[in-house]
Amino acid sequence: MASINEAEPPPPPLPPYHNSIIALILQPIQWLSTLSTTLTPSFIFGVVLVYFLDHGFSGSYFRVVSDFYWKDVQKINPSHAQFFVGLYYIPWIMRPIWGLLTDVFPIMGYRRKPYFILSGIIGILSTTVLMTDLRISSGLALLCMVGITTGMAIGVVSIDACIAKNSIEVKELATDLQSLGAFFASLGALVGFACSGVFVHRLGVRDENGVGWFGGYWLWPTEAVDGSRWHTHR
């Protein structure tokens, strides 16, 4: 008979997969925490916000809604619609020019923050025109679409410039910042494509929310601005 003083056997160790799952869940959180500690939480929040909403969600949602807009509201044929699509994606091709403007022409001593605000103003004004009168001419509608994509492009270029600046200052995090932006841009695009069809079906392109959904949040990144990271004085 075993002695009553014999020590209790130790509890069985957790299965290896249990620790692996916990580590897998905690790793992204630890990664974001490391980036926020090394840089600033507001900068990381701004990168996530711009890439998720502007570059990802807004871009994919805009693509679906604009196609329905030309077909159902303007009643133009597919060949003309595709021609218009090529025109209002020109601002994305001009991204190097927007980047050059943010570097060469600071506004009141700031190189980034005013361009975030400018992108928001352009996007909101362009969307407001489409929201208030959907019976506008196709030429004016095209101009508004160009304004919307210009706002998106300027916002993405501005945050890209911030990422480049911080990548130079903290070289070991350069690849992490690129991965952060790419991940949230892809996630935003996935959410945008998944939701756009439902929103168009429920709200309709003629409803102001059906067209104006993507216009109101380009000013949000300016709320997360940390002056020490987001702007450069003269």
Side-chain angles (χ1 to χ4, degrees):
M1 179 179 295
S3 173
I4 58 176
N5 296 325
E6 186 176 351
E8 292 286 338
L14 293 174
Y17 68 84
H18 186 273
N19 293 330
S20 301
I21 293 176
I22 295 177
L24 185 64
I25 295 175
L26 293 179
Q27 187 172 1
I29 300 175
Q30 294 172 348
W31 180 54
L32 290 175
S33 177
T34 301
L35 291 177
S36 299
T37 302
T38 306
L39 299 171
T40 61
S42 61
F43 173 71
I44 299 302
F45 176 72
V47 172
V48 171
L49 192 66
V50 173
Y51 272 97
F52 179 81
L53 282 180
D54 193 351
H55 196 28
F57 179 84
S58 177
S60 59
Y61 187 88
F62 173 79
R63 184 181 304 177
V64 175
V65 173
S66 60
D67 288 344
F68 278 97
Y69 176 81
W70 293 121
K71 178 176 67 73
D72 295 341
V73 177
Q74 293 294 339
K75 307 294 184 182
I76 64 175
N77 59 58
S79 61
H80 288 170
Q82 289 302 312
F83 175 73
F84 289 162
V85 169
L87 290 180
Y88 60 68
Y89 276 103
I90 289 178
W92 285 107
I93 302 175
M94 297 174 59
R95 287 175 62 180
I97 297 178
W98 310 134
L100 184 63
L101 289 177
T102 62
D103 290 331
V104 177
F105 297 103
I107 301 175
M108 299 179 65
Y110 296 88
R111 297 185 185 276
R112 312 300 179 214
K113 186 174 181 178
Y115 288 95
F116 283 115
I117 299 175
L118 178 64
S119 68
I121 293 174
I122 294 174
I124 289 176
L125 289 178
S126 300
T127 306
T128 301
V129 175
L130 292 176
M131 290 169 59
T132 53
D133 186 4
L134 292 177
R135 293 183 298 274
I136 61 178
S137 65
S138 58
L140 182 57
L142 175 61
L143 184 62
C144 293
M145 296 288 187
V146 172
I148 291 172
T149 55
T150 300
M152 288 191 290
I154 293 176
V156 173
V157 166
S158 299
I159 198 65
D160 284 343
C162 297
I163 291 176
K165 179 177 180 294
N166 284 277
S167 297
I168 294 173
E169 294 178 354
V170 189
K171 293 182 174 59
E172 61 270 17
L173 294 182
T175 55
D176 294 89
L177 291 175
Q178 294 294 329
S179 300
L180 180 69
F183 171 76
F184 279 98
S186 301
L187 181 62
L190 181 62
V191 174
F193 280 122
C195 297
S196 56
V198 176
F199 288 147
V200 171
H201 176 72
R202 293 292 183 180
L203 302 175
V205 179
R206 288 189 175 276
D207 191 292
E208 61 184 26
N209 290 322
V211 177
W213 181 269
F214 43 79
Y217 48 71
W218 285 314
L219 289 177
W220 291 1
T222 62
E223 302 298 327
V225 167
D226 179 349
S228 63
R229 288 288 179 183
W230 288 65
H231 73 261
T232 303
H233 287 286
R234 292 181 187 272

